[in-house]
Amino acid sequence: MSTPTAHTTPEATRTISLPVMGMTCAACAARVEKRLAKIEGVREASVNLATEKATVTFDPRAVDIASLAQAVKAIGYDVPASRTRLLVSGMTCANCASRIEKRLMKEPGVIAASVNLATDSASVEYVPGVTDVSRLIKAVTSIGYHAREAEPGTSRNAHQEAREAEIRSQRNRLILAASFSLPLLVAMAGHTGNVDHPVLHFLNNGWVQLILATPVQFIAGWPFYVDSYHNLRNRSANMSVLVATGTTAAYAYSVASLLAGERLGIHGFYFETSAVLITLILLGKLLEARAKSRTSEAIQRLMGLQPKTARVIREGRTFDVPVEEVAVGDLVVVRPGERIPVDGRIVEGSSTVDESMLTGESLPVEKSAGDEVIGATLNKHGSFTFVATKVGKETALAQIIRVVEEAQGSKAPVQRLADVVSGYFVPAVVGVALLTFFGWLAWSGDVTRALVNMTAVLVIACPCALGLATPTAVMVGTGLGAEHGILFKGGEHLEKARSVTAIVLDKTGTITRGEPELTDVRPAAGWDAQALLLLSAAAESRSEHPLAQAIVRGAQARSATHGQDDAPSGTASSGYGAGTREPEDFAAVPGKGVRARVGGRTVLVGTRKLLYEEGVDVASLEADLEALEQEGKTAMAVAVDGRPAGVLAVADTVKPHAAEAIAALKQRGLAVYMLTGDNARTARAIARQVGIEEDCVLAEVLPEEKAAAVSRLQREGHVVGMVGDGINDAPALAAADLGFAIGTGTDVAIEAAGIALMRGDLRGLVAAIELSEATLRKIRQNLFWALVYNSLGIPLAALGYLSPILAGAAMALSSVSVVTNSTLLKRFRPDARFSPRRLASQGSAG
């Protein structure tokens, strides 16, 4: 048992049981215990190796659970945490989101909580066993809101229905409010224009106005009172408090004037002010809700891609079942024009598949037996049968939706400004409103004018636009990215991308294709290139070495486009691959090559050393070998019956558009580095092909040294973005300021990086950075207008230049304008830089 290091009273402490993973012996337990005990605020810590739990008594005022978990992780162990997403209803402004966030953070076991006003959701990370989802929901409902758990990737119907129900409720309240407010507005217009009409006389009667205004105030406006009650009870304030205070003041003043105006020395009715204000605010909230639903259109489209049914083969019979009933191992039939229901592997048939929903790539992909197919992608022409390998929440589409949902529910760091401002804003506005009232009362002695100006201040100052400025732009940006094969794992990664100053590119699988290809066939005198290749491929056909397989694939591809009249003895005239004779006496020589007999001829394929050892003089091949090696290729000598026959070269070829993308990165002023474990000569050859300078090539770097190379660039002052395959490069991805995992389909390791480029194309990297800039530009615009709007509106209202009704209209439209501005981000096209038209114009300009 450790010695307490913080002196707190028992009443001030809290005890929790943290699960700790990774301990192997008593020394591990002691190490965790000592580390926890050193934290300021920890009273007592005890670690049980058998149960893998740490019991910690601490002062929550001095340390939180997130800090305890971080301390354990810092010494190499893990505190497993669960994540959940709650759908929250009843929020009206940024202060509501802040209140819920603070309440969730007070719940024992919660490590982190983020509430998003735009998505009406809360993302919570918590320690299982200390708390659970039901307690989190109770925490939210205890402060006057409603919450329920959202299943990742499967909450579309529930969330959409909830949003539609909210819109219907707001629409009904608006119709009620507008119906009763319109006569009051007509009466006010007639009074202002000095129109004399019996109907206007009737509508200007105080009792008639009371009858018309009361349903608006206490039926249509009742949710404002309920929300205000919960906020004030918890010593907080939000938009509802401002609206309720301002409209109640106008309504109460009018009632007092009607009942005892002469005795109180007040005159005039302001029923139309309170009623029209509520109507305008309800109109603004309805428009805002509709605009917010448009910000999530991208994810709704993704969710709508999955077919409702699948055609499966069971016990020899083919029939349709709901896609939810497809099980791993089921055989599924897909016909032309149908969407593939789940992830799987083709076992029979072939086709072309449109995978643009996953990768953003519009060109269809050829698929045949053995190839992987992804659920929700579109089968174009042929039909095939595949075996289901991933279903339900495990499919690529479900995982993409989960990542996008989490990203849309997260907060970008720039939102901290809005959160801080919103936290102090409402109390400050109430203070300004009171100063306005008493200031006007002292200066003019007119209670009516003081009340009107105070109401205008309260209404114009609602911080709704401020709370929506960042999350709506993040929602549109992350959704747009997902549609183009760019997955942002969170708002912070979306913001960080624009700040990167140096890009480190892993070579294999990032700049290059990641698998060797046959590039050159150079026959010796007296040999034909095709004959040399077919004979070499036959000898290599029994080898499993990647270089051997590259030669075999190259021979198959080339024989499909060449005639077979020149085929050597021992190969079938029908073409390589269909009838090539099996090699005899095959032997693989580790690290050197292969030896085999093909059609009665002895064939050697491999290094110089192999041929020397077999007594073959390779002097005549030396020039070709050296030239190909200078190009960064792996050159192999070929000998037939003891005589040099030629040279084959294999290389990991550069991806199409890699040079184009790197040029675009440089054009943006980014320093571009290449990181590889290959030898320097090969690395420099690849770098020359894609336009990377030699002094920016980091070659012969071991996997464990890649993170150190990234750290070195950071020490030089760079904000580093590391681009890799997300598996071998995980340490470097984690060490970088921002990690980009590049790959295709389900192989993308989104857990290893902040951004996943699903297409496997470096142009997506440029698009991700440009999308980050475009999103941040929208956020800055939104924050600017929200802050300027309030900064100008409050003084104008306080000085009497803004009527409450105009203030209400302006406040209602401010939120709509911010959300609409965010939706304009949809016009941004991440691939615009690489469009054929733009590239053609650049080419002609050059």
Side-chain angles (χ1 to χ4, degrees):
M1 191 74 69
S2 60
T3 305
T5 59
H7 301 285
T8 55
T9 61
E11 291 77 11
T13 61
R14 179 189 298 169
T15 300
I16 63 165
S17 182
L18 283 177
V20 179
M21 303 297 293
M23 297 186 294
T24 58
C25 63
C28 296
R31 189 170 173 226
V32 174
E33 195 171 284
K34 287 177 182 178
R35 180 66 187 90
L36 288 169
K38 288 180 181 178
I39 300 174
E40 184 179 354
V42 171
R43 181 181 177 85
E44 196 171 64
S46 176
V47 179
N48 189 315
L49 178 63
T51 61
E52 295 185 309
K53 288 186 178 180
T55 303
V56 188
T57 302
F58 64 100
D59 181 358
R61 296 169 300 183
V63 65
D64 56 22
I65 295 173
S67 299
L68 299 176
Q70 189 58 42
V72 174
K73 291 179 180 179
I75 58 174
Y77 303 97
D78 189 29
V79 177
S82 294
R83 291 178 181 272
T84 189
R85 184 167 169 265
L86 304 179
L87 300 180
V88 182
S89 57
M91 293 190 291
T92 58
C93 69
N95 288 70
C96 298
S98 179
R99 270 188 68 221
I100 296 171
E101 206 168 273
K102 289 176 181 176
R103 177 61 187 86
L104 286 169
M105 287 301 297
K106 289 180 181 178
E107 187 68 20
V110 171
I111 295 175
S114 175
V115 179
N116 191 309
L117 177 64
T119 58
D120 297 319
S121 65
S123 298
V124 189
E125 184 178 359
Y126 63 95
V127 178
V130 180
T131 191
D132 53 34
V133 174
S134 63
R135 292 180 187 176
L136 299 176
I137 291 174
K138 286 179 183 178
V140 175
T141 56
S142 70
I143 54 174
Y145 302 93
H146 300 285
R148 65 182 183 281
E149 186 177 18
E151 285 292 326
T154 60
S155 60
R156 173 174 176 261
N157 293 335
H159 199 179
Q160 193 65 16
E161 287 172 6
R163 182 157 276 174
E164 289 172 358
E166 177 193 0
I167 291 174
R168 282 196 302 272
S169 173
Q170 289 177 347
R171 184 176 62 241
N172 293 338
R173 288 163 57 200
L174 175 62
I175 292 171
L176 171 67
S179 301
F180 285 93
S181 296
L182 184 60
L184 293 171
L185 195 60
V186 170
M188 182 185 73
H191 180 73
T192 304
N194 294 317
V195 178
D196 189 14
H197 193 278
V199 173
L200 295 178
H201 282 294
F202 173 74
L203 292 177
N204 277 310
N205 181 281
W207 292 101
V208 172
Q209 291 199 358
L210 175 65
I211 292 171
L212 290 171
T214 299
V216 179
Q217 190 73 34
F218 298 110
I219 298 178
W222 183 247
F224 294 122
Y225 286 102
V226 173
D227 194 30
S228 297
Y229 165 74
H230 287 296
N231 272 272
L232 294 173
R233 190 185 68 175
N234 289 279
R235 299 178 182 178
S236 181
N238 67 346
M239 184 206 79
S240 294
V241 173
L242 297 180
V243 173
T245 303
T247 58
T248 301
Y251 179 85
Y253 177 90
S254 302
V255 172
S257 178
L258 177 64
L259 297 178
E262 293 182 5
R263 292 198 305 274
L264 297 175
I266 58 177
H267 58 86
F269 304 130
Y270 287 90
F271 287 116
E272 78 281 351
T273 298
S274 63
V276 172
L277 272 177
I278 289 174
T279 303
L280 286 171
I281 292 166
L282 290 175
L283 174 62
K285 298 303 288 183
L286 177 61
L287 294 174
E288 177 190 314
R290 286 180 171 173
K292 280 163 63 178
S293 69
R294 289 198 297 272
T295 63
S296 59
E297 282 178 355
I299 195 168
Q300 290 172 20
R301 282 195 293 270
L302 284 174
M303 289 175 171
L305 288 174
Q306 188 173 40
K308 298 292 184 290
T309 61
R311 185 170 294 101
V312 300
I313 302 174
R314 291 175 181 168
E315 298 178 354
R317 294 191 305 116
T318 303
F319 51 93
D320 292 341
V321 299
V323 72
E324 295 81 10
E325 295 181 11
V326 178
V328 173
D330 274 345
L331 290 176
V332 183
V333 179
V334 183
R335 296 180 296 191
E338 293 182 338
R339 288 199 178 272
I340 298 167
V342 296
D343 296 0
R345 186 180 65 258
I346 295 178
V347 294
E348 182 182 342
S350 62
S351 182
T352 56
V353 177
D354 178 359
E355 296 184 340
S356 58
M357 56 71 55
L358 180 75
T359 66
E361 179 59 67
S362 57
L363 295 177
V365 182
E366 297 286 341
K367 299 285 185 178
S368 58
D371 290 336
E372 302 286 336
V373 289
I374 310 300
T377 55
L378 180 63
N379 180 34
K380 299 289 285 185
H381 303 299
S383 62
F384 57 86
T385 302
F386 72 93
V387 59
T389 57
K390 291 183 180 179
V391 299
K393 298 178 187 178
E394 300 303 316
T395 63
L397 177 64
Q399 292 181 46
I400 290 171
I401 292 171
R402 175 182 62 81
V403 171
V404 177
E405 282 180 341
E406 289 179 356
Q408 292 186 340
S410 67
K411 286 188 178 182
V414 70
Q415 191 173 342
R416 292 171 189 154
L417 170 64
D419 291 343
V420 171
V421 172
S422 299
Y424 295 101
F425 198 74
V426 174
V429 166
V430 172
V432 172
L434 291 173
L435 286 174
T436 300
F437 177 81
F438 289 111
W440 275 98
L441 187 62
W443 183 72
S444 66
D446 188 341
V447 177
T448 302
R449 192 170 185 184
L451 175 70
V452 168
N453 292 337
M454 181 192 77
T455 303
V457 170
L458 288 170
V459 173
I460 194 72
C462 293
C464 301
L466 197 61
L468 291 167
T470 299
T472 52
V474 169
M475 284 180 68
V476 177
T478 52
L480 186 61
E483 288 187 314
H484 289 81
I486 304 166
L487 290 186
F488 293 95
K489 200 174 174 185
E492 67 274 20
H493 306 300
L494 178 62
E495 181 178 340
K496 175 68 76 173
R498 62 176 289 275
S499 304
V500 170
T501 61
I503 292 289
V504 179
L505 303 171
D506 176 57
K507 181 181 76 69
T508 306
T510 301
I511 295 177
T512 63
R513 294 179 183 274
E515 61 178 27
E517 291 184 1
L518 180 70
T519 58
D520 297 86
V521 179
R522 297 192 180 185
W527 276 89
D528 175 79
Q530 185 71 358
L532 171 67
L533 177 58
L534 292 176
L535 201 59
S536 301
E540 293 277 21
S541 62
R542 294 273 295 274
S543 173
E544 295 180 357
H545 194 282
L547 298 181
Q549 294 302 307
I551 292 173
V552 172
R553 286 195 304 270
Q556 290 171 337
R558 295 189 185 201
S559 65
T561 57
H562 287 72
Q564 301 301 317
D565 296 337
D566 54 358
S569 61
T571 62
S573 60
S574 59
Y576 181 83
T580 301
R581 183 174 298 174
E582 283 289 319
E584 300 172 354
D585 301 328
F586 172 84
V589 184
K592 297 176 184 177
V594 300
R595 181 196 309 110
R597 289 184 63 78
V598 179
R601 309 182 72 175
T602 301
V603 181
L604 297 171
V605 184
T607 64
R608 297 174 179 85
K609 191 172 183 180
L610 173 66
L611 271 65
Y612 280 137
E613 291 176 353
E614 296 291 332
V616 180
D617 184 4
V618 295
S620 61
L621 305 178
E622 195 61 46
D624 284 335
L625 288 168
E626 288 185 0
L628 292 169
E629 286 171 347
Q630 285 295 330
E631 295 176 13
K633 300 172 182 177
T634 301
M636 290 167 281
V638 182
V640 178
D641 293 335
R643 294 184 179 183
V647 176
L648 305 179
V650 171
D652 186 3
T653 56
V654 171
K655 288 183 178 180
H657 313 298
E660 180 186 342
I662 289 168
L665 291 170
K666 287 184 172 182
Q667 187 180 350
R668 299 182 59 82
L670 275 68
V672 181
Y673 295 83
M674 185 176 78
L675 190 65
T676 179
D678 275 355
N679 64 74
R681 185 169 61 183
T682 301
R684 284 195 294 268
I686 295 294
R688 282 194 297 271
Q689 292 182 53
V690 296
I692 296 177
E693 295 79 7
E694 285 194 11
D695 58 351
C696 292
V697 176
L698 308 174
E700 300 178 16
V701 180
L702 297 175
E704 59 269 21
E705 295 173 347
K706 289 184 177 181
V710 168
S711 299
R712 198 158 53 245
L713 291 174
Q714 290 170 324
R715 287 195 298 272
E716 293 174 6
H718 283 297
V719 177
V720 180
M722 172 68 195
V723 189
D725 63 13
I727 301 170
N728 298 331
D729 304 307
L733 288 167
D737 296 285
L738 181 60
F740 296 83
I742 189 165
T744 53
T746 53
D747 292 331
V748 176
I750 33 186
E751 295 302 325
I755 300 175
L757 307 176
M758 305 294 284
R759 190 185 298 180
D761 186 335
L762 278 177
R763 291 178 298 177
L765 173 62
V766 183
I769 294 172
E770 293 187 342
L771 180 55
S772 169
E773 285 190 343
T775 304
L776 264 292
R777 193 158 50 243
K778 282 296 177 190
I779 290 174
R780 285 195 296 267
Q781 291 171 4
N782 289 346
L783 289 173
F784 173 79
W785 287 114
L787 290 169
V788 167
Y789 160 82
N790 281 309
S791 300
L792 294 178
I794 293 173
L796 288 174
L799 293 172
Y801 293 111
L802 207 59
S803 73
I805 290 178
L806 285 176
M811 189 279 290
L813 292 175
S814 67
S815 297
V816 179
S817 65
V818 163
V819 178
T820 302
N821 187 46
S822 292
T823 60
L824 292 177
L825 184 61
K826 293 179 183 178
R827 297 179 179 178
F828 175 79
R829 289 291 173 265
D831 290 331
R833 172 187 288 271
F834 302 107
S835 67
R837 180 179 300 176
R838 179 166 179 177
L839 290 174
S841 66
Q842 288 175 348
S844 60

